[in-house]
Amino acid sequence: MDPMKRDDDENCPVCKSSKYLNPQIKFLMSPICYHKMCESCVDRIFTQGPAPCPVIGCGKTLRKNKFRKQTFEDVTVEREVDVRKRIAKTFNKRRDDFDTLLDYNNYLEEVEEMTFNLVNGVDVAKTESKLQTYELANKDLINTNAARAAAEMQAFAQATEAEREQHKLARELAAREMEEERREQEEVKKITLNALATGDKNAVKIIQDVQLKRSSERKRRQAEEALRMKAVAEGRNLLKSSLLAGTRRKDVEDGPFDPLDGLDDKSELYVVQDYYENTWLETARKDTATQAGGYFVEEYYNRSLFEAFSGLTFFIDEDSAKKESDNRAPTLTDLMIVDAVS
Amino acid sequence: MSRYSSRPPFLHPLTYPADSVVVYQATALTFLHRLYLTTSTLTLHPKNILLLILYLATKTENHYTPIESFIATAATAGPVISQEDLLAPEFKVAIGLRWAFQVWHPLRGLEGIFLELNAIAIGRYQSPHGNDSGRSDAKEKLDALLRGDADRIGRAHHDARALLTTTALLTDAYFLYTPAQISFAAFWQADRDMAGLYIDVKFPPAAEPIKVKLLATIVECAGNHLASTITRDSLNPYPGLLLQLPQNGVATSIEAATERALMKEVMRIDKKLYHVTNRDRKVNEKKGAGGENGTTNGNGNGKYEGVDEEKRLKKRRLEREKLDKDGDVFGELL
C-alpha cells in the first residue's frame, strides 16, 4: 500500500486528530456504513443514544455498541467478511442435509451467488428479501444446525482437553515410575553393601534375585499401563472423528442394490387379471390331464396379453432410419463437398 | 376348422391352448419366407424341404411328433420319404433360418386382445392406469357401439383370425411390422370401430402422439397387406420393391392359389429351375460318356455345345502351356 495513504489513514476523519497528536488514539468503525472514526469521537457522539453518522453524505443511524475495531486494513475486505459471516449463519446446511452431491453443490452455488450479490451490490433488495424468506422458511433447520455446530465445537474442545489431560497423566506416571526405580536401586545397593560388609555371600545373591524379579515385574506393569493408555487415546480419537463427521447423517434405507435401476417388466398398457371369461379356457382349466401336465391358464393370460402389446409402439421404419443415420458417418467426399460449398 | 377338435390330448406347459394346426402351418410358412430371404432356390429346392419345414414347425411349436410317425402320417397323405432324405437338408435350413426358430405370431396376441375385449364387455376390465372410472367408461363405450349385438365381438375375432391365418402369412407383413401391430391391423380390418374404441381405451390422453402414430401404422399395415379389396390391379404401395403382396400376384386364398394361370406359371418356373440346377451335372455326365453321345440338354443343341466345350478346353490347355513356357503370369519383364 501507498505509504502516503497509510499516513493519511491515521487521521480521524471526524475530529481530524491523528496518531501524531494523540499516540493512544484508537480507530473504530461500525459495520453499518464502515466509516472509521476515533474512539473519543464515538464516545462523544453516540453516548447519548443512536445518532446519524457524522461523515458528510452518509447520515446512517449508528449505535455505540456496534462499533468495533477494524480487523482488516481494507474496508471492502472487512465488509465482505461480515457479509459472509452473516450469510453463513443463515445458510448453514451441510452435506448430509442433502441426498445427492449435486443438490449440495447447487445449494452452494446459490449461496455463493447471493453472497456475491450482497458484496458487490447487485440486486441487493431482491437478494435481501430472498434471504429473509429463506430464513423464515428454514428457521428450525437453521437453529438445529447452529446448535449442532455449537455442540460439535464443545465436544471437540472437550476431547482436546481430555487428550491433554491424558498426556499429562502419562507423563506424571512415567516420572513416578522412574523415581521409584531409582529409589529401589539405591535401597538394593545399600542392602547389598551391608550384606557384603557382614560377609554373607548367599544373602547378596538372594537380594540380587529379588531385585531382578521386582524390576521385571515393574516393566511388565509399565507395558500394560502403556497399552491401556494407548487404547483410551485411540477410543477418544475415534469418538472425536465421529463427532466431526456429523451425527445427523440420514440413514436412508435404500434397500438392496437394484441393477436395473427400477426398470420392471410391467406393461403400461395392460394389467393381467386373475380370471378371464373364455369357454375354451374353462375346459383346459377343468381337464385333469391338462392340469397334470403343468398347464396353467394364468400363464396363458400372461403370454397372450404380453404378445398383444409387446412391440406395439415400436416402429420399425423409424428405428431403421435412426440406425442408418447413426451408421452414416461423414465421409471424405461429404467433407470435400462441404468445403467446396463454403 | 374348429379350434376345439384339433386340440392335442395332452397340452405342453408352453403351448397356447388356442393353438391348433393353424399355428404349425403359420410357423412353417414363416420359415419358408425367412429361409428364402437368404437362400437361393438353386441351393435348396422348395419341394425337397417342405416336409422338413413342417416337421421343424411341429417341433418348434411344442407339438413334437416322433419322426417315424411323422413319416407314416405323411405317407397316408401322399408323399413318401425316407428318414435320411427328410433330414438331409436340416442343417442347411437351420443355417438359412439363422437358428431362429421361434416365431412370434400375431394371431396369439389377437387372443389377448379379445380376452380383454370380453372382459370389457362384462365390466371386468382393469385399467393399467389404476383408475376404476376407466372400467365403466370402457364398458359404456363398448355397449354403445355394440347396441345389444353381443356377437359382434366374436365375429370380429373370427374375421381378424381368418386374416392372420391367411393373408398376413402370405404377404411380407411379418417383415415390416411388429407382431402386435399386425394383430391390431387385423382387428382394425375386421372391425374398424371396435378397434378404434379399444385403442382409445388403451391409450390415456397423455399418450396421444403415440396413439396417432400407432393408428397410422395400423391403418397402413391393414391397407397395404390385409384389406380384402386389394387385388392384383391395385396400386403397389412400395414402388420399386418386389415384395410379397397381393398386388404383385401373391395368392391370398386357396382359390387364388389353385388358379390355372398361376399353376402354369409355377410349373414353367419349376421347369426352368430344374434345367438350371441340372445343367452342370449334365455336362459332366456327357463328358464322362465321351462327349459325343449327349443328345439332350435344355436347348436341344447338345452337339454344338459339346464341340464348343472341346475347343474351349483345347484353348485353355494351349494357354497354360504357353504360360509355363513364359514362366510368369503377367508376361515378361518390361
Side-chain angles (χ1 to χ4, degrees):
Chain A
M1 191 173 236
D2 188 2
M4 295 301 286
K5 206 163 188 186
R6 182 185 287 249
D7 201 30
D8 188 42
D9 253 7
E10 303 289 302
N11 274 328
C12 170
V14 181
C15 63
K16 309 293 180 204
S17 74
S18 68
K19 218 162 198 167
Y20 177 75
L21 295 169
N22 178 10
Q24 264 82 50
I25 195 167
K26 254 199 228 164
F27 291 104
L28 298 175
M29 53 112 226
S30 160
I32 305 286
C33 60
Y34 292 92
H35 286 134
K36 192 176 72 174
M37 59 196 81
C38 70
E39 202 175 9
S40 62
C41 285
V42 172
D43 278 340
R44 185 167 48 81
I45 301 169
F46 298 103
T47 313
Q48 303 294 328
C53 178
V55 174
I56 294 164
C58 177
K60 277 188 180 137
T61 311
L62 307 177
R63 284 158 202 279
K64 194 188 168 191
N65 62 348
K66 292 277 178 195
F67 275 89
R68 59 180 167 82
K69 248 190 122 192
Q70 199 171 335
T71 318
F72 299 95
E73 201 174 87
D74 193 344
V75 184
T76 53
V77 173
E78 181 83 32
R79 192 167 155 265
E80 182 169 349
V81 168
D82 284 346
V83 169
R84 280 185 187 279
K85 253 189 211 157
R86 189 172 135 232
I87 294 261
K89 217 185 253 173
T90 309
F91 290 92
N92 58 358
K93 276 194 187 178
R94 306 183 175 203
R95 167 70 186 92
D96 45 323
D97 287 327
F98 296 90
D99 289 336
T100 64
L101 184 63
L102 183 72
D103 287 345
Y104 181 51
N105 283 337
N106 287 341
Y107 162 80
L108 286 183
E109 193 186 339
E110 200 183 332
V111 170
E112 183 54 39
E113 204 174 303
M114 285 171 76
T115 314
F116 182 86
N117 284 351
L118 285 183
V119 168
N120 295 294
V122 186
D123 281 346
V124 175
K126 212 170 129 196
T127 314
E128 281 290 352
S129 74
K130 215 162 140 192
L131 196 88
Q132 298 284 334
T133 38
Y134 176 86
E135 205 169 347
L136 274 177
N138 296 284
K139 217 170 193 168
D140 287 346
L141 185 66
I142 291 169
N143 286 340
T144 337
N145 271 338
R148 224 167 105 214
E152 272 173 22
M153 286 287 278
Q154 206 182 345
F156 184 72
Q158 272 173 4
T160 322
E161 182 60 31
E163 206 174 344
R164 210 166 34 232
E165 193 72 10
Q166 179 80 25
H167 278 303
K168 204 174 125 200
L169 275 177
R171 256 200 322 276
E172 274 171 9
L173 191 75
R176 219 170 40 239
E177 288 280 337
M178 245 160 79
E179 176 66 19
E180 206 174 300
E181 197 179 342
R182 198 179 51 76
R183 219 180 43 237
E184 214 165 77
Q185 261 174 356
E186 258 171 26
E187 203 178 315
V188 167
K189 207 172 169 187
K190 216 157 77 190
I191 297 170
T192 316
L193 277 178
N194 275 346
L196 281 175
T198 52
D200 192 348
K201 269 194 178 172
N202 218 3
V204 175
K205 196 165 176 7
I206 288 170
I207 287 162
Q208 274 177 349
D209 275 356
V210 168
Q211 200 264 339
L212 207 68
K213 221 185 231 169
R214 265 192 196 167
S215 82
S216 68
E217 171 75 8
R218 194 171 49 240
K219 267 182 193 148
R220 198 180 54 78
R221 218 172 50 230
Q222 268 176 0
E224 263 176 17
E225 185 67 17
L227 215 65
R228 200 178 64 78
M229 290 269 200
K230 206 176 153 203
V232 169
E234 267 172 8
R236 186 161 289 136
N237 273 337
L238 212 66
L239 185 70
K240 206 160 68 181
S241 62
S242 71
L243 277 173
L244 281 179
T247 46
R248 222 167 48 126
R249 185 167 288 281
K250 270 181 276 170
D251 284 329
V252 186
E253 265 305 313
D254 281 344
F257 169 68
D258 180 13
L260 297 178
D261 206 13
L263 191 77
D264 65 5
D265 58 353
K266 262 205 189 129
S267 172
E268 288 173 3
L269 294 175
Y270 68 90
V271 179
V272 182
Q273 286 165 254
D274 308 336
Y275 176 76
Y276 287 94
E277 206 148 292
N278 187 317
T279 42
W280 195 86
L281 286 172
E282 278 312 299
T283 56
R285 198 199 294 278
K286 283 174 190 148
D287 186 14
T288 323
T290 308
Q291 293 292 313
Y295 190 87
F296 293 110
V297 179
E298 292 75 20
E299 198 60 21
Y300 170 74
Y301 299 153
N302 250 322
R303 288 159 64 92
S304 50
L305 279 170
F306 171 78
E307 291 200 22
F309 292 103
S310 64
L312 185 62
T313 50
F314 177 86
F315 301 100
I316 291 177
D317 45 352
E318 210 172 76
D319 184 63
S320 57
K322 195 167 146 263
K323 265 187 199 151
E324 250 169 47
S325 69
D326 283 352
N327 288 340
R328 205 177 147 273
T331 58
L332 196 60
T333 345
D334 285 349
L335 293 177
M336 278 160 68
I337 289 168
V338 169
D339 280 350
V341 169
S342 61
Chain B
M1 170 185 346
S2 162
R3 303 216 308 265
Y4 312 105
S5 60
S6 56
R7 180 167 68 105
F10 172 75
L11 276 174
H12 188 278
L14 293 177
T15 317
Y16 295 73
D19 283 2
S20 58
V21 176
V22 172
V23 174
Y24 317 138
Q25 289 170 353
T27 305
L29 269 170
T30 315
F31 280 174
L32 272 177
H33 271 146
R34 290 189 186 172
L35 179 67
Y36 285 115
L37 277 184
T38 52
T39 314
S40 164
T41 41
L42 287 169
T43 325
L44 284 170
H45 193 286
K47 238 190 229 166
N48 298 339
I49 57 163
L50 279 180
L51 273 178
L52 174 70
I53 290 273
L54 201 56
Y55 179 60
L56 288 179
T58 61
K59 275 212 249 186
T60 307
E61 296 305 335
N62 290 313
H63 187 256
Y64 172 63
T65 319
I67 189 152
E68 290 85 9
S69 60
F70 183 85
I71 289 170
T73 317
T76 60
V80 178
I81 194 166
S82 74
Q83 192 172 327
E84 289 75 35
D85 284 350
L86 179 67
L87 293 180
E90 191 184 23
F91 190 65
K92 276 187 187 169
V93 169
I95 286 179
L97 292 173
R98 300 204 216 159
W99 304 93
F101 288 104
Q102 188 175 21
V103 184
W104 296 93
H105 287 296
L107 55 111
R108 284 174 181 152
L110 191 73
E111 300 299 325
I113 294 176
F114 281 92
L115 277 184
E116 283 224 308
L117 266 176
N118 285 323
I120 293 175
I122 59 167
R124 283 182 51 91
Y125 171 66
Q126 210 170 324
S127 167
H129 311 295
N131 49 348
D132 271 358
S133 64
R135 177 182 311 178
S136 45
D137 274 7
K139 184 168 163 41
E140 272 169 28
K141 279 192 210 160
L142 191 65
D143 284 345
L145 181 74
L146 294 180
R147 271 187 259 125
D149 184 8
D151 281 349
R152 189 165 164 184
I153 298 176
R155 277 203 308 276
H157 185 191
H158 179 267
D159 292 352
R161 199 175 155 84
L163 277 175
L164 289 180
T165 48
T166 54
T167 321
L169 288 167
L170 292 164
T171 72
D172 274 340
Y174 271 42
F175 295 130
L176 297 168
Y177 303 95
T178 63
Q181 284 164 1
I182 303 173
S183 311
F184 273 84
F187 183 19
W188 174 267
Q189 192 55 41
D191 193 328
R192 261 164 218 224
D193 298 333
M194 210 192 291
L197 183 145
Y198 185 61
I199 293 170
D200 279 343
V201 167
K202 276 291 151 194
F203 285 88
E208 191 67 26
I210 292 255
K211 192 178 97 180
V212 170
K213 210 148 109 189
L214 175 68
L215 268 176
T217 310
I218 289 172
V219 170
E220 182 191 287
C221 176
N224 289 353
H225 294 264
L226 304 178
S228 54
T229 50
I230 303 174
T231 61
R232 199 179 289 215
D233 307 318
S234 305
L235 196 69
N236 185 353
Y238 305 95
L241 286 179
L242 195 64
L243 291 181
Q244 298 234 20
L245 290 172
Q247 293 91 317
N248 289 337
V250 168
T252 52
S253 66
I254 297 175
E255 293 81 55
T258 49
E259 202 182 295
R260 248 193 129 68
L262 192 62
M263 297 268 272
K264 219 171 166 186
E265 176 70 3
V266 170
M267 274 161 83
R268 187 188 67 80
I269 294 172
D270 188 41
K271 226 178 222 169
K272 198 169 156 189
L273 185 60
Y274 177 78
H275 287 311
V276 172
T277 335
N278 290 291
R279 190 183 54 193
D280 293 349
R281 200 167 72 208
K282 285 209 170 148
V283 168
N284 290 344
E285 272 170 12
K286 258 180 276 159
K287 256 174 58 193
E292 292 292 332
N293 299 333
T295 47
T296 52
N297 69 4
N299 304 327
N301 53 358
K303 197 160 186 181
Y304 289 110
E305 218 172 51
V307 172
D308 282 352
E309 185 75 5
E310 234 168 52
K311 268 187 189 166
R312 215 166 57 227
L313 282 176
K314 196 175 171 191
K315 199 178 161 197
R316 257 191 218 158
R317 203 178 60 233
L318 286 172
E319 269 176 3
R320 208 178 301 125
E321 277 169 9
K322 190 166 170 273
L323 273 178
D324 285 345
K325 259 195 292 182
D326 294 345
D328 196 343
V329 191
F330 301 108
E332 291 172 47
L333 282 172
L334 291 171

